[in-house]
Amino acid sequence: MIDLKGIYTESILSALNGELDAQTIYSLIETPKHQHLGDLAFPCFSLAKAMKKAPIEIAEHLSQKIKGPEIDHVQPAGPYINVFFSKNEIARTIIPSILTAGAAFGSGEDGIGKTVVLDMSSPNIAKPFSMGHLRSTVIGNSLALIAEKMGYKAVRLNHLGDWGTQFGKLITAYRKWGVEEDVQENPIGELFKLYIRFHQEAETDPILEEEGRKAFKELEDGVEENIRIWTWFRDESLKAFMTIYDLMNVKFDDWNGEAFYNDKMGEVIALLEEQKLLETSEGAEVVRLDDKQLPPCLIKKSDGATLYATRDLAAAIYRQQEYHFDEALYIVGQEQTIHFKQVFGVLKKLGFSWADHMKHVPFGLYLKDGKKMSTRKGRVILLEEVLNEAISLAANNIKAKNPGLQNAEDVAKAVGTGAVLFHDLKNDRMNNIEFSLEDMLAFEGETGPYIQYTHARANTLLRKSPIEDVEFTSLSDEDSWEVIKLLRLFPEMISKAYTQLSPSVLAKYLIDTAQSFNKYYGKVRILEQDSELGSRLSLVQAVVIVLSEGLRLLGISAPDQM
């Protein structure tokens, strides 16, 4: 794809006498906020010292020297040199290349021959799938799709929370207050009630906590009845989770949860002992990480029980042996930052060079009334309910505005889930998000349905086209040029989203592209039969390709009609 910044860099470089190198020039080039100021701008401040002139003088002087076949004209504006490209010259390269590539447009080669594993979603079994797990799921899924677009083989791992003291507590609660028929009829709902009740009762009855720990110890020791109850809880949870994953069209390659690594932690402890990395601290076994300015990593508690870190070490070693990954991404909330620094630090101390290619991808929280959601306290919003409400709202909108729409049910599902997913992904992943059903389900403004509607509108134009074969020759209007410049950036935005491990880069780009196209649509009679009709329809087709593929990379469907 044509690199306008690269073209401008070369033109500036040839006009200078070695005062700046190409890389520096490229990094300084800006995009003006207003289109009347040109397509790109170069600030001359950094040349003042070397050229012994004021930046305004330098801009006046250099603007007369900058030339090139793709450049229409150059205009000094104070200390800036603004360049205006030859629109048709550039467009004749950009639009045909998009149409030729189709859905493959924007594909990269950085990941070819490489594997990336993504630890994502990872809900706790026997608990409802809450909004709290949405971010890990959708950010992880989008990063996996973007990685595949960059050429990687992406392996999606769902490290289920299916082990730990909480299951001893839940087994205890079920034995005391549970009714088998009720659990069979509504597994997650009933188990959730039992979990909340346990913690409520434990506030006034401390013995319950001891009973819960004892029940988990029996589970660890393989007591048959405890294993039977735990397996039942796990199986029912997975059935409920699959309903939600199917709604969001999210799939996994590996469902190994915490319990899977029970028999693999001994190997980790043996390795640590062999390399004399374990130390005793207050009866517990730890690995010191003072050299990394980190607190000690707790490997075994004083009672011999292993911890999250032990399991994550075992999981990392297993995944490297199983998948031979080149990169490993952990899409887990920012509150786990220290934990992952410790895990990666221990792996490096063990001599595993691949630990340098492991990254924690943190994100902010969903808040309810400014507070963190908590399943223990019952302060939780269920994701399935939010998705179903969004789909229902979309169905009502379709019924009101387009009652004859074919596949209305499928479109409602695509639009409803798209609203929820896009609302998450357009936010910078490090920001907390205050839960607002109204904002999430809004179909106007900077939303998923707005982009989907723009895509459907563009498809409608193509269906109404009076000509079959379209070819780009030239366009004379300014608004089409603004759209073309944005379409050109699609490969760059995909690469940037992966480099920054932030799907919001792509989401914000799609908003800009949809807004630019709608502005164009509002000003230009696209289907008017004149000499530029084929070029306008070529542009529309290119918009369809970019919006459809961009939404797909966010895990969102793009209906042809709405």
Side-chain angles (χ1 to χ4, degrees):
M1 179 50 61
I2 194 164
D3 182 1
L4 296 184
K5 278 178 76 172
I7 291 169
Y8 194 27
T9 296
E10 289 301 317
S11 301
I12 295 167
L13 193 64
S14 63
L16 290 172
N17 296 315
E19 285 90 355
L20 292 175
D21 60 77
Q23 191 174 349
T24 304
I25 295 169
Y26 193 93
S27 68
L28 289 170
I29 292 172
E30 302 172 9
T31 301
K33 287 184 179 179
H34 305 289
Q35 64 187 64
H36 72 272
L37 293 174
D39 300 316
L40 293 173
F42 177 74
C44 296
F45 305 106
S46 54
L47 291 167
K49 188 176 179 182
M51 297 181 75
K52 296 183 172 58
K53 287 182 181 179
I56 293 175
E57 285 182 73
I58 295 168
E60 288 278 356
H61 172 70
L62 283 180
S63 62
Q64 298 169 32
K65 291 185 166 189
I66 295 170
K67 294 178 176 62
E70 297 94 348
I71 293 174
D72 184 76
H73 67 282
V74 175
Q75 185 176 296
Y80 288 86
I81 308 171
N82 296 345
V83 65
F84 295 77
F85 288 102
S86 175
K87 297 177 179 57
N88 284 321
E89 193 70 33
I90 302 296
R92 273 196 290 268
T93 303
I94 293 170
I95 299 299
S97 67
I98 296 173
L99 301 190
T100 301
F105 178 60
S107 299
E109 299 180 352
D110 291 358
I112 291 175
K114 297 176 184 175
T115 297
V116 57
V117 298
L118 301 99
D119 185 320
M120 52 183 271
S121 195
S122 310
N124 295 315
I125 67 164
K127 289 184 188 175
F129 200 120
S130 74
M131 285 298 300
H133 282 284
L134 175 66
R135 303 217 71 189
S136 174
T137 306
V138 299
I139 293 170
N141 187 52
S142 180
L143 287 177
L145 292 165
I146 292 168
E148 288 168 341
K149 186 78 171 174
M150 298 291 292
Y152 288 89
K153 176 187 176 184
V155 181
R156 297 155 175 85
L157 313 170
N158 199 339
H159 188 73
L160 295 167
D162 61 1
W163 204 248
T165 312
Q166 70 265 33
F167 294 104
K169 295 176 181 180
L170 194 56
I171 289 168
T172 301
Y174 173 69
R175 283 175 174 156
K176 284 183 177 293
W177 311 298
V179 178
E180 185 173 348
E181 291 75 18
D182 292 347
V183 175
Q184 284 174 337
E185 189 176 330
N186 179 20
I188 300 295
E190 286 302 313
L191 292 174
F192 185 37
K193 283 182 195 172
L194 291 171
Y195 184 77
I196 293 170
R197 183 171 178 182
F198 180 93
H199 287 96
Q200 288 172 341
E201 300 269 356
E203 286 178 11
T204 54
D205 184 4
I207 296 169
L208 268 179
E209 293 281 355
E210 189 54 44
E211 287 182 38
R213 280 192 288 271
K214 182 185 174 191
F216 179 60
K217 184 70 170 62
E218 289 172 349
L219 183 61
E220 283 191 305
D221 292 343
V223 172
E224 194 173 315
E225 178 60 10
N226 291 40
I227 288 175
R228 183 192 69 78
I229 296 172
W230 172 83
T231 304
W232 177 39
F233 290 170
R234 191 181 192 276
D235 291 345
E236 292 298 335
S237 299
L238 287 180
K239 284 181 201 170
F241 293 162
M242 284 309 300
T243 303
I244 297 164
Y245 290 132
D246 287 345
L247 273 178
M248 297 191 292
N249 197 26
V250 174
K251 294 177 172 56
F252 294 93
D253 304 291
D254 182 325
W255 291 82
N256 294 328
E258 292 176 42
F260 178 78
Y261 298 101
N262 279 344
D263 62 353
K264 295 169 180 59
M265 290 183 286
E267 178 191 341
V268 173
I269 292 164
L271 278 171
L272 292 168
E273 286 173 341
E274 188 182 304
Q275 297 195 30
K276 296 183 170 50
L277 291 172
L278 277 184
E279 291 185 27
T280 303
S281 174
E282 298 177 14
E285 299 286 308
V286 303
V287 175
R288 293 208 170 274
L289 296 165
D290 302 353
D291 56 326
K292 300 183 186 298
Q293 287 79 53
L294 290 169
C297 184
L298 194 53
I299 303 296
K300 276 172 81 173
K301 290 198 282 191
S302 54
D303 61 2
T306 50
L307 293 113
Y308 284 122
T310 329
R311 291 177 194 284
D312 278 340
L313 291 167
I317 293 167
Y318 171 82
R319 290 166 183 176
Q320 178 55 224
Q321 291 169 346
E322 184 74 11
Y323 299 112
H324 309 289
F325 62 77
D326 298 278
E327 288 184 28
L329 305 179
Y330 290 79
I331 301 92
V332 183
Q334 59 186 333
E335 64 272 20
Q336 296 296 322
T337 297
I338 297 294
H339 166 78
F340 283 110
K341 284 182 178 179
Q342 289 175 312
V343 169
F344 302 160
V346 173
L347 288 167
K348 287 175 188 177
K349 279 184 177 289
L350 282 167
F352 294 123
S353 57
W354 42 263
D356 288 326
H357 305 288
M358 301 175 78
K359 293 174 188 169
H360 174 214
V361 183
F363 53 83
L365 302 166
Y366 268 107
L367 304 176
K368 186 181 179 187
D369 303 321
K371 297 176 182 176
K372 180 180 176 181
M373 295 181 188
S374 168
T375 47
R376 180 178 295 188
K377 295 178 181 175
R379 190 171 59 238
V380 67
I381 295 165
L382 304 185
L383 176 57
E384 188 173 5
E385 289 180 5
V386 172
L387 289 170
N388 285 331
E389 189 157 348
I391 293 167
S392 175
L393 181 62
N396 291 338
N397 280 351
I398 290 167
K399 200 171 182 179
K401 295 178 181 177
N402 193 359
L405 179 67
Q406 292 185 328
N407 305 317
E409 196 175 314
D410 291 339
V411 174
K413 179 184 169 186
V415 174
T417 56
V420 176
L421 271 58
F422 192 86
H423 179 77
D424 186 301
L425 293 171
K426 75 177 181 182
N427 286 283
D428 184 285
R429 63 174 164 81
M430 290 306 292
N431 292 344
N432 291 335
I433 304 174
E434 178 65 41
F435 177 80
S436 162
L437 197 60
E438 187 181 350
D439 290 347
M440 188 168 275
L441 303 188
F443 288 2
E444 302 297 325
E446 297 181 349
T447 67
Y450 171 77
I451 297 167
Q452 288 171 316
Y453 179 73
T454 305
H455 172 266
R457 167 184 271 177
N459 265 295
T460 300
L461 288 168
L462 295 177
R463 282 195 299 274
K464 290 180 178 177
S465 169
I467 55 176
E468 285 188 21
D469 298 320
V470 299
E471 185 182 352
F472 189 91
T473 51
S474 66
L475 287 174
S476 55
D477 62 281
E478 280 292 328
D479 294 298
S480 65
W481 176 237
E482 292 307 303
V483 180
I484 290 165
K485 282 195 293 183
L486 278 166
L487 294 176
R488 174 189 63 84
L489 293 175
F490 187 49
E492 186 182 320
M493 292 299 111
I494 294 169
S495 178
K496 189 177 176 183
Y498 190 71
T499 302
Q500 296 182 6
L501 299 173
S502 182
S504 66
V505 169
L506 189 54
K508 288 167 186 170
Y509 162 79
L510 292 178
I511 291 169
D512 291 342
T513 304
Q515 288 174 340
S516 182
F517 175 75
N518 283 322
K519 182 182 174 187
Y520 171 68
Y521 176 88
K523 288 188 174 182
V524 177
R525 296 180 64 181
I526 294 170
L527 293 179
E528 185 171 344
Q529 296 201 40
D530 58 20
S531 60
E532 292 188 344
L533 175 60
S535 296
R536 288 194 297 272
L537 288 170
S538 295
L539 173 59
V540 173
Q541 203 170 331
V543 168
V544 165
I545 289 167
V546 167
L547 292 184
S548 173
E549 185 61 5
L551 285 170
R552 186 190 73 79
L553 295 175
L554 297 177
I556 299 170
S557 300
D560 291 344
Q561 297 183 63
M562 280 174 67

